[in-house]
Amino acid sequence: QVQLVESGGGLVQPGGSLRLSCAASGSILSVHAMGWYRQAPGKQRELVATINSEGSTKYLEPVKGRFTTSRNNANNTVYLQMNSLKPEDSAVYYCYAKMTTTRLNTLDAWGQGTLVTVSA
């Protein structure tokens, strides 16, 4: 019915940059909050960044000043620009979106995950 498809992960050296993209598609009436989680092996999943429908953003403290999230409401796509990457940023990153479907169901959707590895 609805899905989120992520792209942009990969291997990057410390100090490098990556840009993640996540596009929502399907029987969508409207998209509300969008954002990003990450999970490293053996650690809990944490909320990295979120952006509401008006463009207001919030960030996990360790990524403030380095990561920027944005969205394109015309195509229901959310982005995560990651600069000055550190090894501790290595994780599988998952996008999410709270959406209302054309059947008027409100649900939380998740991307398939994209692996970010920061290593020399």
Side-chain angles (χ1 to χ4, degrees):
Q1 186 179 61
V2 298
Q3 63 178 348
L4 298 177
V5 179
E6 302 180 39
S7 63
L11 175 64
V12 64
Q13 295 183 350
S17 298
L18 285 173
R19 184 176 177 86
L20 308 183
S21 299
C22 174
S25 63
S27 302
I28 301 169
L29 181 64
S30 61
V31 179
H32 311 293
M34 304 184 80
W36 300 89
Y37 287 81
R38 68 185 182 187
Q39 188 167 30
K43 296 186 177 180
Q44 294 183 329
R45 185 174 63 181
E46 58 186 354
L47 179 62
V48 177
T50 187
I51 181 168
N52 68 14
S53 61
E54 297 179 339
S56 296
T57 58
K58 294 183 178 180
Y59 298 93
L60 186 70
E61 185 65 31
V63 311
K64 287 183 178 178
R66 299 188 297 118
F67 291 12
T68 303
T69 189
S70 60
R71 62 191 286 171
N72 184 334
N73 291 332
N75 60 11
N76 293 324
T77 300
V78 62
Y79 305 93
L80 185 66
Q81 178 67 45
M82 303 183 293
N83 299 324
S84 302
L85 282 162
K86 303 175 180 180
E88 53 262 44
D89 295 318
S90 297
V92 177
Y93 284 71
Y94 300 90
C95 65
Y96 78 88
K98 182 180 290 292
M99 300 182 288
T100 298
T101 72
T102 56
R103 288 178 170 246
L104 302 183
N105 299 315
T106 297
L107 54 83
D108 293 323
W110 297 87
Q112 80 279 10
T114 185
L115 178 63
V116 172
T117 302
V118 184
S119 176

